Amino acid sequence: MRCAALLLMLVTGAATDSECKAPDGRDGLLGMKGSPGRNGRQGEKGDRGEPGLPPSIGSGQPGLKGRQGDPGKAGIPGIKGYAGLPGLLGESGAAGEKGRKGQSGEGGGLHGSERPAFSVAKVTSHPPSPKSSVKFTKVITNEGGCFRVNTGQFVCCKSGWYYFTYNAVAVGDLCVQIKVSHHPDTKGHTIASFCDTSSSSQNKYQMNSGGTVLHLSELDKVWLQVKENKNKMYGSEERNSVFSGFLLFPDE
């Protein structure tokens, strides 16, 4: 009944603006959390911001260049690399200038007594003695010193094969012998003999020449000798009688 009377009073109070008013009721209990709502729409694009400050503002001035540092220690050598492939052959260069003439060689490396050679001349007019070797007073060459001027004999100082030759001026009958003695025998024997006979007094000077090849051992001797009554060998500064010899092939 009370509730009905109260409800009637609220209705009539509201209609008649009665001075009788009931107190407010208490808040109800919180309800359960509802489900999340949907995402809202994308907002409008914002205005462009102000430009930032340049990087130089507020930075310090560059300092002075420092001195060069000391060289560092050499590093350990690296491993040797593989050799590359040969390059292509280049073009031939221009020919160089002709070189100067070189000095004469020494004939296979032999010299002095290892390669004896001599050439001597008779420059005196008197005939030589038939009892001894012909003397030649002018030395043209005497390689190795094997020709003895005082005796007129060649003394072998290198064993081997030799060539001997002479060209003599004759003013009458002349026979020239090439003699050799083999050491230790000192007696010579004739290897070859060359004779010319003068048959005319009009031709005062004649030439007599000859030569031979000999095998000699060390200390063997070779010389020229004239025959008795056929010794008209002549010599002067203008007309020389010449005796020569040299080693062809040394013994091994």
Side-chain angles (χ1 to χ4, degrees):
M1 288 292 290
R2 186 178 180 183
C3 291
L6 181 56
L7 180 58
L8 179 61
M9 290 176 63
L10 290 174
V11 174
T12 59
T16 63
D17 195 20
S18 173
E19 295 181 359
C20 183
K21 184 177 181 180
D24 293 333
R26 291 183 296 176
D27 293 337
L29 298 175
L30 293 175
M32 295 180 63
K33 186 176 181 181
S35 300
R38 298 178 181 175
N39 293 335
R41 291 181 298 172
Q42 183 175 359
E44 296 180 359
K45 184 176 181 180
D47 297 332
R48 183 174 182 180
E50 295 293 335
L53 296 175
S56 61
I57 297 178
S59 59
Q61 296 295 327
L64 298 176
K65 183 178 180 181
R67 70 175 184 85
Q68 184 176 355
D70 297 331
K73 295 182 179 180
I76 300 174
I79 300 175
K80 185 177 180 180
Y82 295 105
L85 296 174
L88 298 176
L89 182 64
E91 297 180 357
S92 299
E97 296 181 358
K98 183 178 180 180
R100 293 180 297 177
K101 183 177 180 181
Q103 297 180 351
S104 299
E106 296 183 347
L110 298 178
H111 55 87
S113 62
E114 293 294 310
R115 190 171 181 253
F118 73 93
S119 187
V120 291
K122 174 178 167 34
V123 294
T124 56
S125 59
H126 61 274
S129 171
K131 297 181 180 180
S132 62
S133 58
V134 179
K135 302 299 188 297
F136 296 88
T137 56
K138 180 181 179 179
V139 176
I140 301 172
T141 185
N142 191 13
E143 180 72 14
C146 301
F147 185 84
R148 308 298 168 82
V149 178
N150 59 333
T151 63
Q153 296 178 340
F154 172 79
V155 181
C156 179
C157 49
K158 177 73 175 179
S159 298
W161 290 92
Y162 286 80
Y163 177 68
F164 296 94
T165 183
Y166 76 91
N167 289 278
V169 180
V171 291
D173 294 345
L174 177 63
C175 284
V176 179
Q177 299 171 317
I178 300 177
K179 288 182 169 284
V180 61
S181 67
H182 296 287
H183 183 74
D185 184 13
T186 58
K187 184 178 180 180
H189 59 278
T190 302
I191 296 298
S193 180
F194 306 89
C195 295
D196 279 328
T197 301
S198 177
S199 60
S200 173
S201 59
Q202 296 179 354
N203 187 7
K204 182 177 179 180
Y205 300 107
Q206 299 183 92
M207 291 302 298
N208 180 302
S209 61
T212 188
V213 175
L214 297 173
H215 181 269
L216 301 178
S217 299
E218 289 190 26
L219 300 182
D220 289 351
K221 298 177 182 179
V222 178
W223 66 93
L224 300 183
Q225 193 165 330
V226 295
K227 288 186 177 181
E228 188 77 34
N229 298 323
K230 294 183 179 181
N231 63 337
K232 305 302 182 180
M233 182 184 292
Y234 177 81
S236 69
E237 292 295 338
E238 293 78 20
R239 295 178 176 86
N240 296 165
S241 294
V242 179
F243 180 34
S244 303
F246 54 89
L247 175 66
L248 291 173
F249 310 105
D251 288 344
E252 296 296 335

